[in-house]
Amino acid sequence: MSVLELRHVTKRYGSFLAVDNISFAVEKGQILSLLGPSGCGKTTTLRLISGFEDANEGAVMFSGVDMKGRRPYERNVGLLFQDYALFPHMTVVENIAYGLKRRNFDKAKIPDRVAEMLSLVKLKGFDNRRPGQLSGGQQQRVALARALATNPEVVLLDEPLSALDAKLRHELRFELKAILSAVNATTIVVTHDQEEAMSLGDSVVVMSAGKIMQEGAPTEIYADPRTRFVAEFIGRSNWFTGELGKATKGVAELKAVGGIRMFVAVPESSRNAGAFDVCVRPERIRIGSALPPSDAGPVNEMRGTIRDVAHLGADLHLVIEIPGGQLLTVTEKYVGQGLERSGQEVSITFFPQDCIVVPSGS
Ligand SMILES: Nc1ncnc2c1ncn2[C@@H]1O[C@H](COP(=O)(O)OP(=O)(O)OP(=O)(O)O)[C@@H](O)[C@H]1O
Ligand SMILES: [Mg+2]
């Protein structure tokens, strides 16, 4: 049985549908990332789970028990709000002990539990500081310790890293994952950062306008997005739009806008004629025709002109103009090649299997 399950949950504010018939489940010790643009209903979903809002339809189940009618303090949830909301007048210890006191945790055991939490989030010795005397990263860890202190059945983290600068955010991401794993927490992490969602989550749910667009393992969502929205939201992409010809051995020709013709591997579901959007990830495109031999059939090869080269640490980002004027983004590992420069003519290649086909405009 899943520790947490949402069944067809809908939430309206007046006539506005903030959450529209969503269902998903989280298993013991798993992390589910809830990802989507601002206003798509992520925080509302957490509020429905924690009991701060009531669903208009559907059910929120904790280990098979319907939470309908239960107030937030009657649900065994650890919550980290979007803005942390530490109590500024309380010390670190008091902040962490807050939930324990509210839930009538054995008073004599509170100091030990708080010490355990401080050690978990690496803040031993910070006991008597107030939030104003802590860095952003330290505040974030206090908030996490407070959320985990009651050993909650379900941990809900709303943008846990968003208040931090990029470098710290990156470091704490791994720490957060390690801490959650150490206590085997069943967790939902809300973020609008796709990289964060992918690196934290065992599974990822992508939302848009209150609806779930897709759910799956991070690699699955990246490699096999079902819609253009999901493909664009997760990672960079180059797009071609056009009509698909008849497939032979699972490969069809796309006559794309701009006069481009290319071979794409077509999944069973998109063998119907009609308009399709085709995505090729930047790292799937190779510069130069040095493709390994393939028995998979045709290879796509195009001429192009390099329009921009950017060295981003370990990666080389290139912008390449192809016939018809379309600009493609291509990424390569930077291993000191340094040969490519703006204005240079190159040949680019990619396999039909590197093409992701989705319904046009999806
Ligand atoms: N109490 C409310 N009354 C009316 N509308 C609300 C209320 N709370 C949220 N909404 C609306 O519901 C939608 C979803 O809000 P929500 O806070 O869940 O978004 P979010 O995905 O968390 O966005 P963000 O990434 O910006 O935090 C928004 O359009 C918001 O304006
Ligand atoms: Mg939010």
Side-chain angles (χ1 to χ4, degrees), residues 19 26-27 29 63 65 76 104 114 123 135 144 173-174 195 200 209 222 244 246 260 271 282 311 330 336 344:
V19 169
V26 196
E27 309 305 322
S63 301
V65 179
N76 193 5
N104 299 322
V114 171
L123 280 180
S135 74
L144 185 62
R173 189 195 290 168
F174 297 101
E195 212 184 275
L200 285 172
Y222 183 77
L244 271 185
K246 204 169 167 295
I260 304 286
R271 285 202 183 160
H311 289 260
V330 178
Q344 192 182 337

Side-chain angles (χ1 to χ4, degrees), residues 13 16 18 37-44 82 192:
Y13 293 113
F16 177 73
S38 185
C40 73
K42 304 181 297 294
T43 296
T44 304
Q82 201 158 357
H192 55 251

Side-chain angles (χ1 to χ4, degrees), residues 90 104 139 172 300:
M90 291 187 190
N104 299 322
Q139 289 182 42
L172 280 187
N300 295 303

Side-chain angles (χ1 to χ4, degrees), residues 240-241 254-262 302 322-326 350:
F240 303 91
T241 299
L254 182 84
K255 289 182 185 143
V257 177
I260 304 286
R261 287 179 174 231
M262 54 196 273
M302 297 174 189
I322 55 172
Q326 187 174 349
F350 53 94

